[in-house]
Every structure is written in C-alpha cells, then in structure tokens.
Amino acid sequence: MSESQSVMGPTLFMFTVIFAAFAMYFEAPAMMFYLVFVRLIYAIFVSIVIDGWKNTLPVLVETSKIRWNRNINGIPVSDTTNALVNLHFKSERELKRAFLTLLIPKAIIVVALAVLAMVNVYQNVDGMINSPLHAISIVVVCYILVKVCWVFHLLATLKSSRWYLHNAAFGEDTYYSAYLSLPDTLEPYLIKVFQ
C-alpha cells in the first residue's frame, strides 16, 4: 500500500461515516447500516469463520503485522496489530468454496440494504420536491448499488475463475491462494472481500 493510500483510505472512510450520519438524519439509514453491518459485524463474522477453519480445515491464513506510532496529546503511543491478508487452501475447489461461504452472506445483506435504500427514496419523493437535502437518499442508493455491483463482481470472478492463482509448496503439500488483478498490482482476494 502506498503512502497516499494509507492517508487517503482512513480520510475517505471518515468522510463516509460523517456523510452516513448526515444521511441518517434525513431518513436514509441504509449507508449507516452498511457501515455497521458490513464493515463491522460482517468483518467480525469473517474473522470468526476463518479462525474456525484454522482449527478444522487444512488452511493457511496469511496475516501481516501493522505497526503504528502516533503522538496523542504529547504522549507517544505505538501498537502492533495483525491483519488478515489472504487464505491458502490445498485445492482451487476448496478455495472457491471458502470464498463463496464468505460472500453469500455479504451479498444477502447488501441486496437487502439496496432494497431499503430504494424504499427510502420512494417514501421521500415528496420531501425531495420541498427540500433538495432529501435528495441525499439518492446518493445513498447510488453508494449501496455500487457495493451491490462490487459483491456481484467478486461472485462473478469466483464463479468464472477470473482470478490469479498462486501456488506455493509448504512441506509436502501445495497450497493455492487467489489474487485479483488491479491496474498496477495484484491484490489478495480476501482484502477485496472486506471492502
């Protein structure tokens, strides 16, 4: 991750949270629900499922240590956390099944939130005529529809195997991991599942 991405990512997320809170005030809660259900609860669900797989399946879980040092009110604070990066399974079939298990609940949640967002637009049509601020619900619908498209794009790449597989030997076994092609790099598939 480049330095600009490490700065812009949290900044963009902060503005997204502020906008979601603002939209919730104008009776368009789908964006805030997305942040709570997908970015928080779903992420915890995925971590629990992957931890269960480590105990029952032959899977290798790739993590990376993230260190950060900040100066908070004149006190230097440093911390180290582990972040999930990718999964490695013994076959491509097991890899597909695992990602399908992770993506189906997310697809259901995001489609339900898209329906909720569209219902909010339908209910606020009269308010949009009286106050342009009620048009925020249209922005929320667009945001949720982009997320729906992203989840179905991930499912399509999963179904058609349009991803890059990397195999590595660990001892006597060969493990497979999946990556998506971005314009200048390959990104681990698991990271895209969290977005």
Side-chain angles (χ1 to χ4, degrees):
M1 183 184 309
S2 70
E3 187 175 330
S4 64
Q5 287 176 329
S6 67
V7 171
M8 288 305 296
T11 304
L12 185 61
F13 184 71
M14 180 189 70
F15 284 120
T16 303
V17 170
I18 291 170
F19 183 81
F22 187 68
M24 197 164 180
Y25 177 76
F26 286 98
E27 299 175 6
M31 192 171 183
M32 185 61 80
F33 288 162
Y34 176 84
L35 294 175
V36 170
F37 289 122
V38 175
R39 296 295 298 256
L40 182 65
I41 296 173
Y42 174 75
I44 293 170
F45 165 77
V46 167
S47 298
I48 292 171
V49 168
I50 290 173
D51 191 52
W53 288 344
K54 284 193 319 190
N55 297 330
T56 59
L57 297 176
V59 59
L60 298 176
V61 179
E62 183 180 345
T63 61
S64 68
K65 288 192 183 279
I66 299 174
R67 293 176 176 241
W68 57 271
N69 297 314
R70 297 289 185 264
N71 192 351
I72 301 174
N73 295 331
I75 301 170
V77 176
S78 63
D79 194 13
T80 304
T81 59
N82 285 330
L84 290 172
V85 176
N86 213 352
L87 299 174
H88 305 271
F89 281 88
K90 284 190 173 184
S91 72
E92 183 181 357
R93 186 173 162 203
E94 291 175 7
L95 190 65
K96 279 185 174 184
R97 187 179 311 129
F99 281 117
L100 192 62
T101 302
L102 297 177
L103 284 172
I104 293 289
K106 184 175 183 177
I108 291 169
I109 293 169
V110 174
V111 167
L113 290 175
V115 170
L116 174 66
M118 289 181 207
V119 167
N120 286 338
V121 167
Y122 178 75
Q123 291 175 344
N124 289 328
V125 168
D126 295 333
M128 286 181 218
I129 295 169
N130 297 331
S131 171
L133 287 176
H134 282 286
I136 289 173
S137 56
I138 293 174
V139 175
V140 171
V141 167
C142 293
Y143 178 84
I144 298 295
L145 288 178
V146 166
K147 297 302 182 180
V148 168
C149 291
W150 178 250
V151 170
F152 282 102
H153 169 72
L154 288 175
L155 285 169
T157 58
L158 178 69
K159 182 70 175 161
S160 64
S161 296
R162 286 182 299 158
W163 55 9
Y164 291 92
L165 281 180
H166 174 71
N167 59 354
F170 292 99
E172 300 173 358
D173 298 317
T174 301
Y175 284 85
Y176 296 88
S177 58
Y179 295 86
L180 283 177
S181 176
L182 297 179
D184 56 350
T185 185
L186 291 176
E187 184 95 23
Y189 197 80
L190 183 62
I191 290 175
K192 295 302 179 185
V193 169
F194 281 114
Q195 293 180 344

